[in-house]
Amino acid sequence: MTALVLGALAGCSVTSGGKADPTAGSAPRAAAPVRLPVPDGFATETGWSTSASPEAADVEPASSGFPLVAVAPRSGLVIQASADGSRVRAFSLASGKTVWTFAPKALTRVRAGVFVQESKAGEKVVLARQGKTSGSGLSTSRRRTTIDVIAADSTSKATAVHHLDLVAPDGTAVSFTATDSGLLVGPVSDGAHEKAVAIDAATGVQRTVQKSTLTVSGCGSGSCAVQASAAFATSQGVVSAFQQQDGCDQWAKGGTPCTYGFQVGDAWTSTSVAPSGMHVGIPLAATGPYLVAAWRTSDPQTDPPALSDTKKTILAVHDLATGKIKARVSCTSADALTLQPGSAQSSTRLSPNGDFLVSGQVGFDLATGRGNCFTSTASTKGIDLTAVADDGTAYGIVHVVDDMEATSLYGRLPIAQDGTHTPGHDSARVSVRSGTAKALPAAAEVPLYVASDGHGLFRTRDMVAVYPAS
């Protein structure tokens, strides 16, 4: 089962402001549960809850942002960071008991994110921070990006097994792009990094990756030379996205189609696994042993690829190691959602037993190789999926398109930030097996993770709550 990075969904606010450090104090366990409005099937009279801070915004909506809550599923932990990154606390998912805490070296003016990554060496918790050193004596204050890696199976007062200190150039916006098996740190635009630092949480090794020239076979006219930029990192290497610029019909007027694709480390290239007639492949996310990609016929290069109602898009689950398609479905959307490298990472989840996968507005039954679309039509709204249980029951929030760039990105879950008025979202429960969907009662929160034993994790702007199955 893969680790999950969780964003804060807009919804019910149950405390006033969330300004206090929710990870502070020495209490041995979280408090008794606050009873949030949740779907049937969760026992809100038991379980546990704790306050949580709103998340900082990132100027680049396709990045992983600054999530303050994550799940380490193999270790059975909920990981929570304070907004300033000064403390990380690990709770037992089942009991709310504090298992360990971690306090890194101090920085000022911090934005922090916490992620969980899997490797053969076990689960690692990654605390990524952007801030400044305090400056003292003759030393000046400097912008810093720090990475602390903590073993998920730590006890009591945890220490970092790896600490990385990266100097951030002034005037450069640095983003974190995380999957459950890799992390990129660097400026990102339209889902790609021209230059970034790739970090292996298991070993602490860092290396620089940057735009490079590739010769790709299988383009519309044979082999073609392309410029490839890193999109996200995985256990199979960095996934790099590319777009053919020469020797093809950039206006899609019937000439040789231009190829838009990606390469997964040294393992495989999208052109070798593309469905028949598909010349545009966008790597949307990776989780566990899978990569999710969107496939389309050639599009004009003046327009970004989009999941629209003008023609169908194939959404496919690929074996991360080989590229073989494990499940697929064709979808359309009345919302014309932009398909961008990594845009669905925040909404891509595996069920704990590995039988089902949700990503964006699509759910896949990996045993049958089939998927179901929960996208919008002329008469129905799309559903951004947030979690899937072992029986194929999934939950999601009804997609709302507004004037924010993030809402036009396919698969990007909304974030409720402090000091902003974000209206509550409608929500739904769906069956990944059958493709049926049912609206939940007004104001109902939806889980961001459902464990094998039925425990559901819920996250509002200022609260984290875990309830067992009823």
Side-chain angles (χ1 to χ4, degrees):
M1 173 61 195
T2 63
L4 306 175
V5 176
L6 307 180
L9 296 186
C12 177
S13 177
V14 293
T15 66
S16 57
K19 296 295 185 183
D21 178 359
T23 67
S26 56
R29 64 177 64 243
V34 170
R35 300 185 69 174
L36 298 174
V38 302
D40 293 340
F42 298 98
T44 57
E45 67 277 7
T46 57
W48 58 273
S49 63
T50 185
S51 62
S53 298
E55 296 179 4
D58 195 322
V59 295
E60 175 51 53
S63 76
S64 296
F66 302 95
L68 299 177
V69 180
V71 172
R74 291 187 184 277
S75 304
L77 299 177
V78 176
I79 312 297
Q80 184 180 18
S82 59
D84 63 1
S86 62
R87 186 178 173 94
V88 179
R89 193 171 178 179
F91 299 93
S92 165
L93 175 68
S95 70
K97 179 182 177 181
T98 298
V99 178
W100 54 259
T101 60
F102 171 74
K105 294 180 180 179
L107 289 176
T108 62
R109 300 177 63 182
V110 172
R111 295 190 301 174
V114 66
F115 309 95
V116 175
Q117 300 194 330
E118 291 186 354
S119 69
K120 293 180 181 178
E123 289 180 318
K124 306 296 183 186
V125 176
V126 178
L127 174 65
R129 297 181 297 159
Q130 299 176 16
K132 286 189 174 184
T133 56
S134 59
S136 60
L138 297 177
S139 299
T140 59
S141 176
R142 301 190 66 184
R143 290 184 63 202
R144 292 280 178 179
T145 297
T146 66
I147 306 294
D148 288 283
V149 180
I150 309 104
D153 61 0
S154 296
T155 57
S156 188
K157 293 190 178 297
T159 58
V161 294
H162 305 294
H163 173 81
L164 303 177
D165 197 353
L166 312 176
V167 177
D170 289 335
T172 301
V174 174
S175 293
F176 303 127
T177 304
T179 67
D180 58 16
S181 58
L183 175 67
L184 295 179
V185 180
V188 61
S189 178
D190 297 330
H193 300 259
E194 289 202 4
K195 185 177 182 180
V197 176
I199 296 171
D200 184 331
T203 64
V205 172
Q206 57 176 301
R207 65 185 180 94
T208 300
V209 293
Q210 52 192 349
K211 179 182 279 190
S212 60
T213 301
L214 299 177
T215 299
V216 178
S217 61
C219 297
S221 56
S223 295
C224 61
V226 296
Q227 293 288 307
S229 298
F232 49 84
T234 73
S235 59
Q236 293 296 320
V238 173
V239 176
S240 299
F242 58 79
Q243 187 170 10
Q244 183 183 3
Q245 301 287 344
D246 302 313
C248 61
D249 178 10
Q250 297 188 26
W251 307 104
K253 297 294 186 181
T256 300
C258 294
T259 297
Y260 185 130
F262 57 93
Q263 180 166 299
V264 179
D266 296 324
W268 53 281
T269 303
S270 59
T271 53
S272 65
V273 300
S276 178
M278 298 291 164
H279 299 281
V280 176
I282 303 99
L284 299 175
T287 184
Y290 304 111
L291 180 144
V292 180
W295 295 96
R296 291 174 59 82
T297 57
S298 187
D299 291 312
Q301 294 198 4
T302 54
D303 303 323
L307 179 63
S308 65
D309 57 4
T310 57
K311 54 185 175 182
K312 287 191 174 183
T313 298
I314 293 177
L315 283 304
V317 177
H318 296 259
D319 184 296
L320 182 59
T322 66
K324 181 179 179 181
I325 293 178
K326 311 297 287 187
R328 59 185 282 179
V329 65
S330 294
C331 302
T332 60
S333 170
D335 289 331
L337 301 173
T338 300
L339 298 164
Q340 198 173 90
S343 64
Q345 189 62 52
S346 67
S347 61
T348 298
R349 314 269 196 265
L350 269 173
S351 61
N353 61 10
D355 289 347
F356 301 94
L357 186 152
V358 295
S359 181
Q361 299 181 358
V362 175
F364 297 95
D365 183 335
L366 298 177
T368 64
R370 294 192 294 268
N372 281 295
C373 309
F374 301 98
T375 50
S376 63
T377 67
S379 58
T380 60
K381 298 176 181 178
I383 303 169
D384 295 315
L385 301 174
T386 63
V388 60
D390 281 347
D391 63 355
T393 299
Y395 300 87
I397 54 177
V398 175
H399 187 84
V400 176
V401 178
D402 55 27
D403 57 358
M404 301 294 290
E405 181 182 357
T407 65
S408 67
L409 280 180
Y410 175 76
R412 181 70 159 99
L413 293 181
I415 292 177
Q417 301 154 16
D418 194 21
T420 62
H421 175 68
T422 307
H425 287 267
D426 292 326
S427 54
R429 176 164 39 205
V430 309
S431 169
V432 173
R433 290 181 187 272
S434 67
T436 57
K438 182 178 181 180
L440 292 171
E445 301 289 346
V446 290
L448 294 176
Y449 175 70
V450 180
S452 287
D453 63 4
H455 278 82
L457 170 66
F458 297 81
R459 166 75 153 116
T460 69
R461 187 181 68 90
D462 46 20
M463 180 64 59
V464 172
V466 174
Y467 306 120
S470 59

